[in-house]
Amino acid sequence: MWRALGCVIALGIGLVPARAAEVTIRFPVEYAIDIAPGLSNQDFKKLIEERTNGRVEVKLFPSGSLYKGLDLVQAILRGDAEMSTLTSAYWTALSPKVAVFELPYAFPERAAFYRAIDDAAFINSLYDEVEAKGAKAITIMPYDHFGFGTRTKPLRNPRDMAGLKMRGLGRTNSAMLQALGASAVSLNLVELSPALQQGVIDGLNAPIDIMLAYKWHESVKHVTYAPAYIGYYPWMVNAKWWNALAPDLRKTIHDTAIEVARLHRARSEAETERALAGLKAGGVETHVQTPEERKAWIEATLPVWQQFEPQVGKELIARVRSYSK
């Protein structure tokens, strides 16, 4: 059903009202339009254009076609793009305390993460420094726990990571990889396929369904699904543009983003299960980390919490831990 909806709603075509829009939202993202977050972006476009009776038009630019990486961050800050769901790691450069969400095994259960992102006061306080610099988080679109994928060997014990060149997703994630003995390599999403094919990296940690969608399983032969890091997309808008919107439009956009982000949870979880089965069917050795294995990995990555405590602060760390109780 979700994929059928994605096919019906072409990027800027179909279901767009004939009359000129009062507001155009340029919405660039790094990922493809037909993976789970891209489908939710399409849902957002459809709903907004319907609910505002054509007063708002959403123009989606997937796969880094307009901006990618840090250029996309700067585009949001400048107002050259009004909106994006860009992976959280890019925003930690503007507000180091955001890294608290990226600490290893901070959210071993999805439910704990959902409790955290449903706490609007917490999210507002977490992203207040980002807002002061020009970008506001209006909600959080969760993805799912990542999988570790490698070209050469399975990862069962923390020491199995030693010596591998792994794609790192920001400073905190890279610190986790380094604590496990790997070398972290910084690459944006569109660079990963050739890097895997050419052996520039031995592996990566990424959402399971992306591994299948981007055909990384043609290079990656071992995948371990683990709750070491839960990916998410802060739903970011240019703050100046946001504050200048007509109040009724701002409320409709805000409410719709929250609705789509919450519905995305079930979609993302279903896509993960589908992708795990698809990877296995494609010849990839897939493994779900056991409780015993998780305990060993948590212990091995504790130094990362100590490393980032001065940056994040004890109070925020305690707050994040409280959502798992």
Side-chain angles (χ1 to χ4, degrees):
M1 179 180 68
W2 294 322
R3 293 189 179 277
L5 176 60
C7 292
V8 170
I9 309 165
L11 302 189
I13 306 171
L15 301 181
V16 178
R19 70 177 184 174
E22 295 175 28
V23 174
T24 298
I25 301 176
R26 291 167 294 184
F27 196 150
V29 294
E30 282 196 312
Y31 46 77
I33 204 69
D34 58 352
I35 65 170
L39 297 175
S40 290
N41 294 160
Q42 293 185 66
D43 290 348
F44 174 78
K45 169 183 169 65
K46 175 180 181 293
L47 291 170
I48 285 296
E49 292 176 350
E50 288 179 348
R51 290 173 179 179
T52 63
N53 295 316
R55 293 173 65 194
V56 177
E57 179 184 6
V58 180
K59 291 187 175 181
L60 296 173
F61 298 91
S63 302
S65 58
L66 189 61
Y67 301 104
K68 56 181 177 289
L70 294 176
D71 288 340
L72 180 45
V73 172
Q74 292 302 317
I76 293 292
L77 296 176
R78 291 192 307 265
D80 292 339
E82 286 74 33
M83 180 178 287
S84 184
T85 46
L86 180 64
T87 187
S88 61
Y90 287 116
W91 299 104
T92 57
L94 298 181
S95 180
K97 65 182 179 180
V98 172
V100 71
F101 266 14
E102 301 167 11
L103 292 170
Y105 293 90
F107 299 100
E109 306 296 336
R110 293 187 186 109
F113 184 73
Y114 296 160
R115 284 192 288 271
I117 63 175
D118 285 342
D119 186 342
F122 174 58
I123 296 302
N124 288 338
S125 67
L126 191 63
Y127 279 90
D128 58 0
E129 293 176 358
V130 176
E131 184 172 358
K133 294 172 183 176
K136 178 178 177 60
I138 60 172
T139 191
I140 301 292
M141 185 165 70
Y143 210 148
D144 197 4
H145 289 118
F146 279 21
F148 292 107
T150 67
R151 299 167 64 247
T152 55
K153 63 178 180 179
L155 303 175
R156 300 289 185 271
N157 189 285
R159 59 177 172 267
D160 293 335
M161 191 76 80
L164 296 178
K165 294 177 291 183
M166 299 286 289
R167 186 256 186 146
L169 189 63
R171 290 183 62 244
T172 315
N173 184 259
S174 294
M176 177 188 71
L177 295 173
Q178 290 162 359
L180 294 167
S183 298
V185 181
S186 179
L187 296 167
N188 65 44
L189 186 63
V190 298
E191 297 172 316
L192 289 180
S193 292
L196 282 168
Q197 292 165 5
Q198 297 165 18
V200 173
I201 54 176
D202 298 308
L204 44 74
N205 55 139
I208 295 294
D209 67 318
I210 284 186
M211 292 189 190
L212 191 64
Y214 285 105
K215 299 183 179 180
W216 292 339
H217 62 290
E218 294 177 358
S219 300
V220 167
K221 297 304 177 186
H222 308 274
V223 169
T224 295
Y225 180 58
Y229 172 73
I230 190 163
Y232 72 96
Y233 299 103
W235 201 305
M236 304 300 289
V237 295
N238 174 268
K240 184 177 179 180
W241 168 82
W242 181 253
N243 293 330
L245 282 172
D248 62 323
L249 290 182
R250 185 167 58 242
K251 184 178 188 307
T252 299
I253 293 169
H254 195 192
D255 291 350
T256 303
I258 291 172
E259 176 186 341
V260 169
R262 289 189 175 178
L263 289 172
H264 177 77
R265 299 175 187 182
R267 168 183 279 154
S268 181
E269 292 173 15
E271 286 295 295
T272 293
E273 294 304 316
R274 183 190 67 81
L276 280 169
L279 288 171
K280 187 174 182 179
V284 177
E285 180 197 31
T286 60
H287 173 72
V288 177
Q289 196 170 68
T290 68
E292 293 75 18
E293 290 168 347
R294 181 193 303 182
K295 184 177 179 181
W297 286 68
I298 289 174
E299 184 176 347
T301 55
L302 278 177
V304 181
W305 289 74
Q306 298 163 0
Q307 177 184 342
F308 282 86
E309 185 179 288
Q311 167 183 317
V312 170
K314 291 183 179 180
E315 183 178 344
L316 269 181
I317 286 178
R319 183 75 172 268
V320 163
R321 289 193 183 280
S322 73
Y323 294 113
S324 294
K325 294 179 180 178

